[in-house]
Amino acid sequence: METKVKSIEDVVFGEELPVYLPDTSLKKSAEFASLVGWEGARFSNHEKAKEEGLAGAMMPGILNQAYFSAMIHRWAPNSTLLSIDTIFRAPVIADQEYSMQATVTDIDEDQRIIEIDLIMSNQKKETRVLGTARIGL
Amino acid sequence: MIADIERLQEKYLNKDFDVKNFLIEAETTVRFAWLSGETHPKFIDTDHPDFQAPPTFVGSLAGSRILPSDFPRFGVGMDAGKSVECFAPVRPGDEIIGKSHLHEIYAKTGRSGRMIFIVTRIEFYDKKENHLANSDSRIVIAERQHGN
């Protein structure tokens, strides 16, 4: 069972959060895109996405961002997300495997704020999404 | 070429161009939480005393338009990133107000020409004018080359 971080004193500089393997199925992508009103085929149909010049149907960027948020909350359930900035460097294609890594890069014990670097990469270890989150703990 | 970017900055930055109300529905925020893997009860249990939308939920709320109506067209825009700042929880059942403005305009020149980056910020407020969150959308536009 994974250890949950309960307070800032539990956090170590350079600590890596448990790797998160997000559900990148086309079904999940399509359902999420529909929920947020993005009905375009580029999120729900590989063939039609290819007709648009993509490598396949894409995962919505905000879903990947939301996965990072969930990853942090699983590690530190008591934390409050203060900000998250994600850069979409390249498309995340549905039905392919990706992993999400996060590393603690700053701990401000006075303000009780932690900064975390975020990376989402494919099986070739190519970065697809990167970013930074600040959490209160 | 910097001058045209400076003119855009002067004309458009920090000026509201859209205001839109959003009714935050529990069914939607809970579904958002489930689909993105949030398991904390405050995001998925409507009876939790601190029930709230997941923090990145505001990133899914779009204004009536992404750019000002008279903003020049440089080419096709691509989604280059999203940023969210959270100041207070967004509560399902509440109606919140989103005010959009251009927060940043800048250019970078690479091998394939000039790329223009535009950051549209939506500031979200509750009915008492409390600032709840900011959601930034970063669009990158590959500038059309002459003859293309």
Side-chain angles (χ1 to χ4, degrees):
Chain A
M1 188 173 170
E2 289 173 359
T3 304
K4 306 281 188 191
V5 168
K6 292 178 179 169
S7 77
I8 199 164
E9 286 75 21
D10 299 331
V11 181
V12 178
F13 178 80
E15 178 174 352
E16 294 185 357
L17 279 63
V19 172
Y20 191 62
L21 302 177
D23 179 353
T24 53
S25 65
L26 183 65
K27 181 175 181 291
K28 173 65 72 75
S29 171
E31 191 174 353
F32 185 89
S34 176
L35 177 76
V36 300
W38 297 4
E39 301 291 353
R42 62 172 50 190
F43 302 112
S44 59
N45 186 309
H46 284 304
E47 293 310 313
K48 288 185 177 172
K50 286 176 183 173
E51 288 172 14
E52 291 185 36
L54 299 164
M58 296 190 304
M59 302 294 291
I62 57 171
L63 175 55
N64 297 326
Q65 185 184 64
Y67 278 144
F68 278 123
S69 170
M71 176 186 187
I72 291 167
H73 286 133
R74 284 171 186 235
W75 172 69
N78 299 331
S79 66
T80 300
L81 187 72
L82 303 174
S83 67
I84 181 166
D85 184 14
T86 44
I87 297 166
F88 307 144
R89 180 177 278 183
V92 173
I93 304 299
D95 289 334
Q96 295 183 4
E97 287 182 26
Y98 293 85
S99 67
M100 303 177 99
Q101 297 92 35
T103 307
V104 174
T105 54
D106 192 39
I107 302 170
D108 183 338
E109 293 204 19
D110 294 334
Q111 299 292 322
R112 306 195 72 79
I113 291 174
I114 295 167
E115 199 164 290
I116 301 169
D117 275 4
L118 310 166
I119 292 176
M120 182 177 193
S121 52
N122 61 14
Q123 282 188 302
K124 294 178 184 171
K125 305 293 181 195
E126 296 165 330
T127 299
R128 289 306 186 236
V129 180
L130 71 162
T132 308
R134 290 171 62 251
I135 63 170
L137 190 62
Chain B
M1 292 295 279
I2 297 294
D4 59 342
I5 295 297
E6 288 176 346
R7 277 196 297 274
L8 289 173
Q9 291 169 339
E10 189 177 325
K11 182 172 181 184
Y12 293 104
L13 285 187
N14 301 315
K15 293 168 184 167
D16 287 349
F17 63 84
D18 183 66
V19 178
K20 185 175 175 182
N21 287 15
F22 301 89
L23 178 60
I24 307 302
E25 296 178 325
E27 187 181 342
T28 306
T29 68
V30 169
R31 196 81 200 123
F32 185 104
W34 274 114
L35 287 170
S36 58
E38 291 280 13
T39 54
H40 196 291
K42 69 182 177 184
F43 301 126
I44 57 176
D45 179 1
T46 56
D47 293 326
H48 191 278
D50 194 25
F51 179 54
Q52 59 185 266
T56 63
F57 176 76
V58 293
S60 72
L61 302 177
S64 306
R65 52 184 316 115
I66 296 170
L67 296 169
S69 57
D70 61 344
F71 196 81
R73 291 178 179 274
F74 296 100
V76 179
M78 293 179 292
D79 190 1
K82 275 276 185 187
S83 170
V84 170
E85 288 179 283
C86 309
F87 307 122
V90 172
R91 304 289 184 188
D94 285 355
E95 188 168 271
I96 66 173
I97 302 154
K99 299 178 182 178
S100 301
H101 68 265
L102 297 189
H103 180 64
E104 284 184 276
I105 303 170
Y106 57 96
K108 290 183 179 178
T109 302
R111 280 173 295 183
S112 56
R114 196 167 72 148
M115 310 288 281
I116 297 168
F117 291 79
I118 301 164
V119 178
T120 300
R121 171 167 290 180
I122 309 180
E123 296 180 342
F124 293 97
Y125 298 87
D126 65 13
K127 289 284 189 185
K128 293 178 181 171
E129 290 285 317
N130 295 309
H131 194 173
L132 303 176
N134 289 335
S135 170
D136 290 357
S137 299
R138 192 177 300 112
I139 302 165
V140 59
I141 301 172
E143 191 173 32
R144 288 193 197 101
Q145 302 297 307
H146 292 299
N148 288 350

